Amino acid sequence: MKKRLMTLGAALMLAWSAWAEGQAKYVFYFIGDGMGVNQVNGTETYLAALEGRIGVKPLQFAQFPYTGLVTTYSATNGVTDSAAGGTALATGQKTKNGVLGMLKDQKTRIASIAERAKKSGRAVGVMTSVSVDHATPASFYAHVPDRDMYYEIGQDLIRAAFDFYGGSDFLQPTDKKNPQTPSLYAQSEEAGYVIARGYEDYEKKKNDAGKMILLQTEEASKKDRSRIPYAIDRTSTDLTLKQITQAGIDFLTTQGDQGFFMMVEGGAIDWACHANDAAAAFRETEDLDQAVSVAYDFYKQHPDETLIVVTADHETGGLALGVGPYEMHTQVLQNQKMSISDYSAEVRRLRETLKDKFTWEAVKQSLKENFGFWDQVQLSENQTKRLKQAYDHIQKGIAENSKTLYQNDDELATVAKQILNKVACVGWQSGGHSNGYVPVFAIGVGAERFTGRMDNTDIPKKIAEAADYEEIK
């Protein structure tokens, strides 16, 4: 009897502790795809260098009071891909590389924390800077054996019936096997979704929408539907991750008073790191931080009800800060005016428009304007020789493009990138993922759970505890 009373007393104490601590009514889950520890530190080092000093200028999320380190291996590989990494962060279960929302048997479905939040009565949003059906966002709603099943993933997006989705577009909006089948756009509208194209269109349509899918403009998708433009390439008319995040908050707060769960992915950090494009990668990390800042503003208005968690699915590129001399010169990266992807297109454009006037002098002028070479960034004789050789290869038709996971970059652009990285003292181990630790940062209700070393599968479990989400059997 005495033992039973002690057990009952312990249970009451735990219940009292949970009540006193509060419950996370509003949950923000930010995932920087490919954002390892050095992607964060490198960005902060770069921002400090722009102020003319050695040190770091802390990102907003890096100042959160609770921090930890996260392991990322998958069920089958020492180095995870984004599907298995995303599934671990979404479901708390490890799986085989390439699989979404299923165990490694590629048959057994596993529920995500977003699905648990929805079942618990919360409004749910999933958003990203890449396509809405890419691996990380899809981990929160899809259940397929292969991450490349984009059409089927799009159908799972509709079936999940979450309240808000945001990203660049659908990668495969039509069924290639059955062209007569209505597109995912038509299926979405049939399921009650309003599709907005760009932030202004969202503002016009939001009040009459029960469920929303926010995509970039059709004009932008004609150029590249796979992601919104890199921050370094962005124009004033482009959709931004900050806008997507703000729209998500605005929309989800109108869906009742039970609170919300929101996953926001900075997906293009990974893409820039696959390309070993340091200038673009640091700008993408800063861009994610600007989206986090929108959530932080919301947190300041609801500090006793909000949890913000920022982490990553894996590290990409094996980024090293400091190569050769014990120095860093990341300030030179500000001279890169566009991503390596866009500069590859610029080289092709120059060649087509200049024709016979596509001379070495014309190329030198372009490199000076877009990378600061020979002006803001002094080059050695050998570095100039390498650039000239890349130009000669283009002229002779023997240029070797650099193909990475998401890009096929011109040889001249690739050499320019390699030289600027070298001057900045930034190094890359590969064009793929690594098994390096990734960070986790947290603030708000339940944030104290996110300290020390943990596995990626621990994070959704800790969020579910803090928010008291219902188990899905």
Side-chain angles (χ1 to χ4, degrees):
M1 180 67 178
K2 185 177 180 180
K3 186 176 180 180
R4 287 178 61 191
L5 286 171
M6 287 177 66
T7 304
L8 178 60
L12 288 171
M13 285 292 289
L14 284 172
W16 170 261
S17 174
W19 177 84
E21 184 182 89
Q23 177 182 299
K25 181 177 180 181
Y26 306 107
V27 174
F28 294 91
Y29 194 1
F30 287 90
I31 299 174
D33 199 312
M35 187 183 73
V37 173
N38 275 0
Q39 277 75 6
V40 177
N41 191 23
T43 302
E44 295 182 325
T45 301
Y46 167 68
L47 293 174
L50 295 184
E51 296 179 345
R53 60 185 179 85
I54 295 172
V56 296
K57 181 178 180 180
L59 296 168
Q60 178 71 70
F61 64 73
Q63 300 175 72
F64 288 174
Y66 297 97
T67 63
L69 292 173
V70 183
T71 51
T72 63
Y73 58 92
S74 74
T76 56
N77 296 66
V79 179
T80 190
D81 81 322
S82 289
T87 297
L89 290 174
T91 69
Q93 299 282 340
K94 289 190 181 290
T95 192
K96 179 181 180 180
N97 280 13
V99 177
L100 291 168
M102 291 180 166
L103 294 179
K104 64 180 180 180
D105 63 10
Q106 298 176 268
K107 296 177 182 178
T108 307
R109 293 163 59 103
I110 38 180
S112 75
I113 189 170
E115 290 167 319
R116 291 179 62 181
K118 188 66 177 173
K119 188 173 182 183
S120 299
R122 273 65 160 196
V124 174
V126 171
M127 49 216 85
T128 179
S129 58
V130 296
S131 63
V132 291
D133 49 13
H134 215 255
T136 302
S139 300
F140 287 80
Y141 61 77
H143 305 276
V144 294
D146 185 348
R147 62 179 288 179
D148 292 334
M149 298 170 64
Y150 292 114
Y151 179 75
E152 292 79 3
I153 290 169
Q155 290 184 309
D156 274 1
L157 177 151
I158 298 166
R159 277 191 285 266
F162 294 163
D163 303 272
F164 184 93
Y165 296 99
S168 62
D169 213 315
F170 289 103
L171 274 180
Q172 189 183 321
T174 57
D175 186 353
K176 293 180 179 179
K177 298 176 184 176
N178 301 290
Q180 295 80 17
T181 304
S183 72
L184 292 176
Y185 305 121
Q187 292 179 48
S188 298
E189 291 171 344
E190 178 67 23
Y193 283 97
V194 171
I195 297 175
R197 287 285 189 174
Y199 193 76
E200 288 186 8
D201 196 35
Y202 162 76
E203 285 286 308
K204 293 176 184 176
K205 294 178 176 178
K206 64 180 181 180
N207 293 331
D208 297 319
K211 294 184 291 185
M212 172 71 74
I213 301 176
L214 171 58
L215 305 174
Q216 66 184 358
T217 64
E218 291 185 19
E219 182 181 1
S221 282
K222 285 177 183 177
K223 295 178 182 177
D224 187 354
R225 69 188 312 110
S226 66
R227 59 169 169 80
I228 61 176
Y230 282 127
I232 196 172
D233 299 325
R234 185 178 300 150
T235 68
S236 60
T237 60
D238 290 322
L239 184 64
T240 71
L241 189 61
K242 182 177 179 180
Q243 289 176 331
I244 294 171
T245 304
Q246 185 63 66
I249 294 172
D250 291 345
F251 194 81
L252 295 179
T253 50
T254 67
Q255 304 301 301
D257 59 359
Q258 297 301 304
F260 60 70
F261 170 87
M262 178 186 301
M263 192 291 292
V264 183
E265 182 204 21
I269 299 170
D270 176 65
W271 297 37
C273 290
H274 275 293
N276 293 171
D277 188 345
F282 294 161
R283 290 283 298 277
E284 286 302 303
T285 305
E286 184 185 13
D287 197 57
L288 174 66
D289 191 56
Q290 291 176 5
V292 174
S293 294
V294 175
Y296 184 65
D297 288 341
F298 182 91
Y299 158 79
K300 287 188 291 185
Q301 297 171 33
H302 308 274
D304 299 326
E305 299 177 295
T306 304
L307 170 64
I308 306 175
V309 177
V310 183
T311 191
D313 52 354
H314 54 74
E315 192 276 343
T316 300
L319 175 62
L321 303 174
V323 232
Y326 293 177
E327 300 172 2
M328 291 296 299
H329 301 291
T330 50
Q331 72 278 359
V332 302
L333 296 173
Q334 70 182 306
N335 295 294
Q336 183 176 321
K337 304 305 181 187
M338 61 178 72
S339 68
I340 296 307
S341 174
D342 270 25
Y343 191 67
S344 294
E346 173 65 8
V347 172
R348 292 191 292 272
R349 186 193 68 79
L350 279 175
R351 194 178 182 200
E352 290 169 2
T353 55
L354 294 179
K355 300 187 185 317
D356 292 343
K357 295 181 180 178
F358 184 70
T359 63
W360 171 234
E361 286 305 314
V363 169
K364 280 185 71 176
Q365 182 60 33
S366 173
L367 290 166
K368 183 181 292 186
E369 292 171 357
N370 290 289
F371 293 90
F373 291 159
W374 306 289
D375 186 4
Q376 302 299 319
V377 182
Q378 297 306 309
L379 302 187
S380 68
E381 184 178 331
N382 183 61
Q383 288 167 335
T384 297
K385 183 179 178 181
R386 287 183 62 200
L387 291 166
K388 175 65 163 57
Q389 185 179 56
Y391 162 77
D392 289 340
H393 286 173
I394 292 173
Q395 291 297 76
K396 294 176 183 177
I398 59 172
E400 295 184 4
N401 285 10
S402 176
K403 186 172 176 57
T404 56
L405 187 59
Y406 299 111
Q407 295 178 195
N408 189 7
D409 295 327
D410 178 270
E411 182 177 344
L412 182 66
T414 300
V415 173
K417 167 195 71 182
Q418 291 170 344
I419 289 172
L420 195 64
N421 283 343
K422 177 78 171 177
V423 175
C425 297
V426 172
W428 300 90
Q429 180 65 27
S430 76
H433 299 174
S434 80
N435 189 33
Y437 281 121
V438 299
V440 60
F441 306 93
I443 191 171
V445 180
E448 67 282 351
R449 291 171 168 85
F450 300 91
T451 59
R453 190 176 77 164
M454 67 193 76
D455 189 62
N456 53 9
T457 55
D458 295 325
I459 294 178
K461 295 172 186 175
K462 293 174 184 290
I463 292 175
E465 290 170 2
D468 194 28
Y469 291 155
E470 185 174 343
E471 283 277 8
I472 295 181
K473 305 299 183 184

